[in-house]
Amino acid sequence: MPYLQAMTVSEPSGSERSERTSPDLIDGLEAGVTTADGHRERFGVEAPARGEVVGHLPACTPADVEAAFDRAETAADAWSDRPPAERAEVFVRYHDRLFENREELLDVIQLETGKARRHAHAEVLDVAMTARYYAYRAESFLESERRRGALPGVTATELHRHPVGTVGVISPWNYPLTLSISDIVPALLAGNAVVLKPSEETSYTALKAAELLYEAGLPRELLHVVTGFGPELGEPLVAAADYVCFTGSTETGRIVARTAGETLTDCSLELGGKNPAIVRPDADVERAAEGLARGCFANAGQLCLAIERIYVHESIRTRFLEAFVDATESMRLGVGPSFDVEMGSLSSEKHLSKVERHVEAAEREGATVVTGGQTRPDVGPYVYEPTVLTGVDESATLHDEETFGPVVSVSGYADDDEAIRRANDTEYGLNASIWTDDTERGRELAARIEAGTVNVNESYAAAWASMDAPMGGMGDSGIGRRHGKEGLFRFTESQTVATQRGPQFAAPGGISYRLYAKLLDATMALQRRVPGLR
Ligand code: NAD
């Protein structure tokens, strides 16, 4: 039976429907898994839109991880010897291949996640943008630089950036294409090899993305995919890697950090969030309501950057809530291939239960469900309505814990200081949003929010898609940054080479150290005074 045709679709659009069946879509992808010799257990991959297992993949073992690293390390030397411009050609071709295979990619992403097609499409755009951005800049980013020497004119100092070696990437299920590949692109362009362990829930997307990379010309041995479970594969992967790039929950991030601490492996950790939005009294209420509905319910709220707390100035609270509830209630739910669907399914039964638990706990703790709060089995087995709550107390579970679902609380505030205090009342610090007509004031307030990205008059997309600027979390939201130069440099070891000409760092012959020390003091005083020598 054609897989996608069997799904429930709101407002179906016949021409967009895929004719591919689920076995067709994932057929042959298993060949991309790296395993050592021997028998492997297999695990099922579920299609959340149907609540059915659609395929099985090998549960890789620590021996498979070791084999993958051995093979990747062997391939890394020849790759790092290639000039950056030559490496970049692969990623220019990859950009194009993503669009040539767009429909198939969207189908696989939707199959494994149950997300709306527009959110799957955002992943393709994101990976293409990442490939283009780094492909056209890696050469200049990686160029060696002159740095100011110890003694001007005497010490010639250069900075070189070498690949770290082999990078281990561990990715989550919520954006399985973006979060598997967008870190791999700069890691490979910097001259490294990569071993990827995607989420066990969404490994077919990672395998499909890797297949397209090989087709674009990436040598097969440079990227290995191991499928299976984090608690078994995480430790050997971190231990074998020269750098670890982890995206997932804060809880798992701490485990990865502990292992990385033992082996002194450098890492970036992109973790959870409980992201606030502030709506100022001068905001365009309709625009803020629509923008925040997108920002809260994109990917059914399973987005690390999604807004989960909205603070609205008391003077516009009622008006905003009305407009926001309207925008929320008009969202088209569905699980099919139509681009018209605005919100899809949650990823699993387990995750649905977590979202339900959060809303029930909030109600027990005094909150009111203004709209939503129901599962929608008529649409899909794990679909949950976009949900707006009021009266969520600062001591409530929902105030502190990341729900990672389509659930947001709205409350009022009296002035900017209170809004900032409440926005910062979290251990997390990933993303924030400010809505105001006074963009200058918005930027001033942004600087007072403890979050790695702040969007003024947008929820998350403006900062995320500003590929040239670093992106990551403060506090419990993580360590390190992706995107921009920073996102490439983390995959390099910097090396300083200083060449000394003429005088050495020692007292010249015949001069006492006492006199030499005075000379050094005088030189320091001169350097302090002369602007060109500071
Ligand atoms: P998760 O932490 O459960 O899993 C993430 C990955 O870690 C998976 O591949 C999993 O198999 C692996 N893993 C599990 N146990 C492990 C262990 N002991 N050692 C090593 N790896 C292990 O997270 P998830 O449920 O897949 O993803 C949702 C979470 O990810 C949310 O908290 C969300 O906010 C966060 N997230 C953050 C970002 C970001 O950029 N900051 C982006 C997306 C998602």
Side-chain angles (χ1 to χ4, degrees), residues 233-463:
L233 304 185
E235 205 174 309
L237 184 141
V238 176
D242 297 305
Y243 186 95
V244 173
C245 187
F246 173 83
T247 309
S249 62
T250 297
E251 195 187 349
T252 313
R254 288 188 206 281
I255 299 174
V256 170
R258 272 198 289 276
T259 314
E262 282 299 315
T263 52
L264 288 183
T265 307
D266 198 0
C267 60
S268 54
L269 305 170
E270 305 284 350
L271 311 176
K274 187 78 192 176
N275 309 305
I278 296 172
V279 187
R280 296 193 72 239
D282 60 357
D284 176 335
V285 168
E286 292 297 324
R287 190 170 167 222
E290 276 166 29
L292 281 168
R294 273 196 312 277
C296 297
F297 306 126
N299 207 37
Q302 303 164 114
L303 166 69
C304 54
L305 306 169
I307 302 299
E308 295 199 2
R309 299 177 288 145
I310 299 177
Y311 300 107
V312 194
H313 192 268
E314 285 295 357
S315 63
I316 54 162
R317 188 172 182 267
T318 308
R319 209 151 52 89
F320 172 81
L321 193 60
E322 249 175 55
F324 185 58
V325 167
D326 274 357
T328 302
E329 289 179 347
S330 67
M331 295 197 88
R332 286 183 293 269
L333 311 189
V335 289
S338 166
F339 270 110
D340 293 337
V341 170
E342 291 172 289
M343 203 189 93
S345 175
L346 294 176
S347 67
S348 64
E349 189 173 13
K350 186 170 149 225
H351 194 48
L352 173 66
S353 306
K354 180 187 168 189
V355 172
E356 284 181 305
R357 273 200 315 277
H358 267 218
V359 174
E360 283 159 17
E363 282 187 284
R364 272 199 310 279
E365 288 166 333
T368 305
V369 173
V370 183
T371 187
Q374 301 295 320
T375 52
R376 290 293 299 271
D378 55 316
V379 183
Y382 311 141
V383 173
Y384 193 85
E385 288 176 343
T387 300
V388 180
L389 297 160
T390 55
V392 173
D393 192 76
E394 288 189 7
S395 63
T397 319
L398 195 91
H399 177 270
D400 296 327
E401 283 185 24
E402 180 188 45
T403 304
F404 213 55
V407 178
V408 61
S409 65
V410 179
S411 49
Y413 72 85
D415 57 32
D416 283 345
D417 286 343
E418 184 191 345
I420 295 293
R421 179 188 64 72
R422 294 179 69 182
N424 285 338
D425 184 17
T426 173
E427 299 295 312
Y428 291 113
L430 190 57
N431 180 47
S433 165
I434 299 175
W435 297 79
T436 178
D437 219 25
D438 182 350
T439 49
E440 199 174 324
R441 180 68 183 150
R443 287 193 292 271
E444 274 167 26
L445 293 177
R448 294 171 58 193
I449 295 189
E450 290 149 16
T453 51
V454 184
N455 294 264
V456 178
N457 293 331
E458 232 299 323
S459 291
Y460 65 89

